[in-house]
């Protein structure tokens, strides 16, 4: 029995580390791209033809907005999970309520297995510190009930409002992403789906007539400088057009 418990605890800890590493990697890369996004947006505009530059800017801005909104929403959901866990730990008189609640909030950021890992940690600590019944079983049932509420009500509703997507689409995007790419797919599937939806809506907007971008250039000195570096003839063409 002790060997079985030790083996399962080791496996759970390895899964926790893998999920945490995945979440941190995606978070760091997302923050890097968000910080570097103004330059990337201007480069994307520069590559695009004149008529498409405003559309490219709107698409890039939409993608950044969707990713940022998703990250904020995910953080809020994790805080809710931590608060609910803390309330349950206090009700059932489980020791170390605050550290355990922080663990639940952190693991809740990990898709698929995060909520289960947090529940397992709380149940294990409660069983060792306060006994299997009622503390450990009660806190596991409490967190299990909240997990169902989060998966099927809180997450779809919050993502629907922040990402402008139906609740069913949010749920399906997460399931498809998890099936295709595992943890990373589950973490990024929802903002990617929201971005695709916004891009499709943008592509339905008609383009301006030919010559519009040259006759009405975007008032962006940095973009104009990049365009001049890429093609010295651009300023002369615009001056001639004026």
């Amino acid at each position: 029995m002790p060997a079985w418990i030790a083996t399962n605890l080791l496996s759970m800890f390895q899964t926790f580390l893998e999920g945490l590493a995945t979440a941190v990697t995606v978070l760091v890369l997302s923050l890097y791209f968000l910080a570097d996004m103004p330059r990337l947006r201007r480069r994307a505009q520069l590559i695009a033809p004149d008529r498409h530059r405003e559309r490219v800017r709107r698409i890039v801005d939409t993608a950044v907005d969707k990713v940022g909104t998703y990250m904020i929403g995910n953080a809020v959901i994790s805080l809710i999970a931590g608060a609910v866990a803390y309330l349950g730990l206090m009700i059932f008189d489980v020791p170390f309520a605050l550290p355990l609640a922080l663990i639940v909030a952190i693991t809740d950021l990990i898709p698929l297995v995060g909520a289960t890992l947090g529940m397992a940690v709380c149940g294990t600590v409660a069983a060792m510190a306060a006994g299997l019944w009622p503390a450990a079983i009660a806190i596991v049932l409490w967190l299990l009930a909240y997990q169902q509420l989060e998966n099927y009500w809180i997450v779809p509703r919050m993502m629907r409002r922040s990402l402008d997507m139906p609740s069913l689409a949010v749920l399906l995007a997460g399931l498809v992403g998890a099936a295709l790419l595992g943890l990373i797919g589950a973490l990024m599937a929802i903002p990617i789906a929201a971005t695709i939806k916004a891009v499709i809506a943008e592509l339905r907007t008609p383009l301006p007539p030919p010559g519009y971008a040259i006759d009405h250039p975007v008032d962006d000195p940095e973009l104009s400088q990049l365009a001049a570096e890429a093609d010295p003839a651009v300023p002369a063409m615009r001056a001639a057009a004026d």
Side-chain angles (χ1 to χ4, degrees):
M1 186 68 176
W4 180 84
I5 294 176
T7 302
N8 281 272
L9 286 177
L10 180 60
S11 176
M12 183 179 68
F13 184 67
Q14 290 176 341
T15 304
F16 167 75
L17 290 181
E18 291 174 0
L20 186 61
T22 300
V24 170
T25 300
V26 174
L27 177 63
V28 170
L29 290 176
S30 300
L31 292 176
Y32 171 78
F33 281 115
L34 288 174
D36 203 41
M37 191 52 65
R39 186 177 65 85
L40 294 177
R41 186 192 70 182
R42 291 183 172 90
R43 290 291 181 182
Q45 283 183 269
L46 181 61
I47 294 173
D50 285 348
R51 293 178 61 204
H52 295 266
R53 284 181 179 173
E54 184 61 23
R55 169 172 285 180
V56 169
R57 183 191 65 80
R58 290 197 298 266
I59 289 175
V60 174
D61 288 347
T62 298
V64 174
D65 178 69
K66 297 301 181 184
V67 174
T69 301
Y70 173 73
M71 292 174 63
I72 294 173
N74 215 13
V76 171
I77 292 171
S78 296
L79 291 176
I80 295 173
V84 171
Y86 181 76
L87 179 62
L89 292 165
M90 294 297 294
I91 291 174
F92 302 119
D93 198 23
V94 178
F96 314 111
L98 184 58
L100 289 175
L102 290 176
I103 291 175
V104 170
I106 293 173
T107 57
D108 197 70
L109 292 169
I110 304 172
L112 299 179
V113 298
T116 303
L117 287 174
M119 179 178 63
V121 171
C122 290
T124 302
V125 173
M128 292 188 299
L132 186 62
W133 175 262
I137 294 178
I139 192 60
V140 167
L141 291 177
W142 173 276
L143 293 176
L144 185 61
Y146 168 74
Q147 184 178 342
Q148 304 309 309
L149 181 67
E150 178 185 289
N151 290 340
Y152 296 103
W153 193 80
I154 296 177
V155 172
R157 284 179 175 270
M158 181 168 290
M159 294 305 170
R160 181 186 65 187
R161 293 180 180 178
S162 59
L163 299 178
D164 190 25
M165 289 180 61
S167 301
L168 181 61
V170 172
L171 183 61
L172 289 177
L175 293 176
V176 171
L180 294 177
L181 297 175
L183 294 177
I184 294 180
L187 193 62
M188 296 305 299
I190 296 175
I192 289 175
T195 301
I196 292 174
K197 176 178 177 292
V199 168
I200 292 175
E202 175 62 35
L203 292 177
R204 291 177 179 175
T205 305
L207 285 170
Y212 178 86
I214 296 178
D215 295 336
H216 305 278
V218 179
D219 186 15
D220 191 333
E222 187 171 349
L223 180 60
S224 300
Q225 182 179 355
L226 290 173
E229 293 174 359
D231 186 358
V234 170
M237 291 172 58
R238 290 185 172 173
D242 292 339

